[in-house]
Amino acid sequence: MKTAKKLGLAVAVATTMGMSSAMAGEVNIGFTGPLSGGAALYGENTLSGLRMAADEINEAGGFDINGEKYTVNVVALDDQYSPSQAATNAKRLKQEDDVPAVFVPHSGGIFALMDFNVEDDFLVMAYTSVPSVTEQGNPLTLRIPPTFDGYVDAFTDYALENWGTKLGMGGATHEYAKIWGQMIKKAWTEKGGEVVAENAMDYNKSADFFTGVSRIISEKPDVIFVGGASEPTGLVIQQARQLGYQGGFIMMDQAKIDEAANVTGGLNDLDRTVGVVPLAAEQTEAAQNFVKRYQEKFDKTPGSEAAYNYLALHALVEAMDIAESTDPTEIRENLSEAVTSMDGNKNPYSVQEIDEKGGFVVQPTMAVVKDGEIVEEEF
């Protein structure tokens, strides 16, 4: 038995050595996001897309740089949605793990990293739809989802036409939600609507929104603007219904209708909610293929944060392969070619290109919950 154990150990060591000799090395890719607190589910969903892409790349034998094979290793750090902690994490990821890129799923952290990413020489892979991220001209920042200014106009037009003119503001307090709130308020009033209540709430620290919601409802709005991570957004909507609110909701794009429905126990509470089309409702072959594979791997339905970050990591690695380099500037120069040349199954949102400012070009979508069903509307 001892001989057999020794033989088994020798085989294992030989196999490991053989694998090591076949791979030139490992490229670390950074992630900083909320992995604890009220937005933990959002952070984990984002990270799951990165891990799925990394697993696929590694299981396929890695990728090639100048004839040598490399694997991908995602190094994830928790920042609890704090911009200052995100900056600290990024410094650590660069210094300790020599990452060429850091994925960040919140605008506060993204702006914090953009203060020093060019000097420190790493790409900011920004999962945010805030337009100003790519308007600042940072040459090493990529914005992954489409900007939300189109959503603001489309959602506002639909709500004004179908539900009424009085708006209550009940979004979250983090930077991204503040920017969304400012834009929706401006669009609403410019289109002839009236803002009758404003009571932003901390979606990251609370699960009891009854007091804040009741203040908004007391002003009798026809529509309430809500949005943060999906889980607390679902709670805000559920508690508004429990307090007797019968009007509509504008849900900012960070929150997902299907994920909020998991909190509310179905779509009934979300009736008369306008938001983005959930990934699972997308009818393209690439989207449905991704949903199926994700469900098999994680035993749950993916949201857009998983899919967008999945495709972004595949594009990043494809760009390294094309550039024959892990240099951030060379990766950036080859990303647009990478996203259009990679296998369609790696691109569930059918990103068409990356524009000169660093934005992934995607066709935005709009959905409305009607009578317990998610219905896609013309954008």
Side-chain angles (χ1 to χ4, degrees), residues 25-33 35 43-58 63 70-78 89 92-94 96-105 125 297-298 306 309-314 316-317 320:
E26 186 176 66
V27 176
N28 292 320
I29 300 297
F31 169 87
T32 177
L35 300 176
E44 288 288 356
N45 286 343
T46 304
L47 184 56
S48 70
L50 297 176
R51 287 177 169 156
M52 181 172 171
D55 287 347
E56 289 181 357
I57 292 163
N58 296 341
F63 64 101
Y70 289 80
T71 56
V72 180
N73 177 45
V74 178
V75 184
L77 299 177
D78 181 16
N89 287 351
R92 177 181 165 187
L93 288 163
K94 183 63 182 178
E96 297 181 7
D97 301 290
D98 193 27
V99 298
V102 178
F103 283 78
V104 196
M125 301 298 289
K297 187 175 182 67
F298 296 105
N309 284 277
Y310 165 88
L311 74 85
L313 181 53
H314 268 298
L316 190 75
V317 169
M320 292 182 202

Side-chain angles (χ1 to χ4, degrees), residues 145-173:
T147 59
F148 65 62
D149 43 1
Y151 292 130
V152 169
D153 281 335
F155 295 0
T156 299
D157 287 342
Y158 186 91
L160 280 167
E161 182 178 343
N162 291 279
W163 299 326
T165 60
K166 296 180 179 179
L167 178 69
M169 302 289 293
T173 56

Side-chain angles (χ1 to χ4, degrees), residues 195-217:
V195 176
V196 296
E198 295 186 56
N199 195 81
M201 295 169 281
D202 191 339
Y203 283 34
N204 197 37
K205 295 181 179 179
S206 178
D208 182 355
F209 301 101
F210 282 107
T211 300
V213 170
S214 64
R215 290 173 181 165
I216 298 171
I217 293 174

Side-chain angles (χ1 to χ4, degrees), residues 155 158-159 162-163 222-227 233-234 236-238 240-241 245-252 255-258 260-261 264 266-278 366-377:
F155 295 0
Y158 186 91
N162 291 279
W163 299 326
D222 302 308
V223 184
I224 299 178
F225 166 68
V226 295
T233 299
V236 170
I237 291 173
Q238 182 181 56
R241 294 302 191 206
Y245 176 67
Q246 299 295 317
F249 292 99
I250 293 176
M251 181 186 287
M252 79 178 197
K256 309 301 182 295
I257 292 172
D258 54 344
T264 61
L267 290 168
N268 287 338
D269 280 354
L270 281 86
D271 205 44
R272 297 178 301 286
T273 295
V274 59
V276 297
V277 176
M366 180 174 73
V368 179
V369 180
K370 297 180 179 180
D371 299 323
E373 294 185 0
I374 299 172
V375 179
E376 186 168 357
E377 295 283 345

Side-chain angles (χ1 to χ4, degrees), residues 98-324:
D98 193 27
V99 298
V102 178
F103 283 78
V104 196
H106 56 99
S107 59
I110 290 162
F111 287 122
L113 268 60
M114 286 171 64
D115 285 341
F116 60 87
N117 74 303
V118 174
E119 180 181 350
D120 286 12
D121 197 30
F122 66 90
L123 288 161
V124 175
M125 301 298 289
Y127 184 67
T128 179
S129 55
V130 175
S132 58
V133 164
T134 44
E135 294 299 324
Q136 294 188 10
N138 186 300
L140 294 181
T141 293
L142 284 299
R143 189 200 70 249
I144 301 170
T147 59
F148 65 62
D149 43 1
Y151 292 130
V152 169
D153 281 335
F155 295 0
T156 299
D157 287 342
Y158 186 91
L160 280 167
E161 182 178 343
N162 291 279
W163 299 326
T165 60
K166 296 180 179 179
L167 178 69
M169 302 289 293
T173 56
H174 57 274
E175 187 65 23
Y176 179 59
K178 288 179 181 177
I179 298 171
W180 236 101
Q182 290 166 0
M183 292 185 70
I184 202 85
K185 181 180 177 181
K186 183 174 183 290
W188 190 266
T189 54
E190 286 180 350
K191 293 173 186 290
E194 176 188 4
V195 176
V196 296
E198 295 186 56
N199 195 81
M201 295 169 281
D202 191 339
Y203 283 34
N204 197 37
K205 295 181 179 179
S206 178
D208 182 355
F209 301 101
F210 282 107
T211 300
V213 170
S214 64
R215 290 173 181 165
I216 298 171
I217 293 174
S218 67
E219 300 301 324
K220 297 180 172 50
D222 302 308
V223 184
I224 299 178
F225 166 68
V226 295
S230 296
E231 196 170 30
T233 299
L235 287 173
V236 170
I237 291 173
Q238 182 181 56
Q239 291 171 23
R241 294 302 191 206
Q242 290 171 353
L243 289 169
Y245 176 67
Q246 299 295 317
F249 292 99
I250 293 176
M251 181 186 287
M252 79 178 197
D253 63 329
Q254 182 182 2
K256 309 301 182 295
I257 292 172
D258 54 344
E259 293 176 0
N262 291 334
V263 176
T264 61
L267 290 168
N268 287 338
D269 280 354
L270 281 86
D271 205 44
R272 297 178 301 286
T273 295
V274 59
V276 297
V277 176
L279 177 65
E282 294 277 358
Q283 296 304 310
T284 66
E285 182 179 348
Q288 289 303 308
N289 183 286
F290 173 79
V291 170
K292 180 181 178 182
R293 289 183 287 117
Y294 186 95
Q295 288 173 330
E296 290 172 352
K297 187 175 182 67
F298 296 105
D299 194 28
K300 63 179 182 179
T301 301
S304 59
E305 58 269 21
Y308 270 120
N309 284 277
Y310 165 88
L311 74 85
L313 181 53
H314 268 298
L316 190 75
V317 169
E318 185 78 15
M320 292 182 202
D321 201 337
I322 295 170
E324 303 286 0

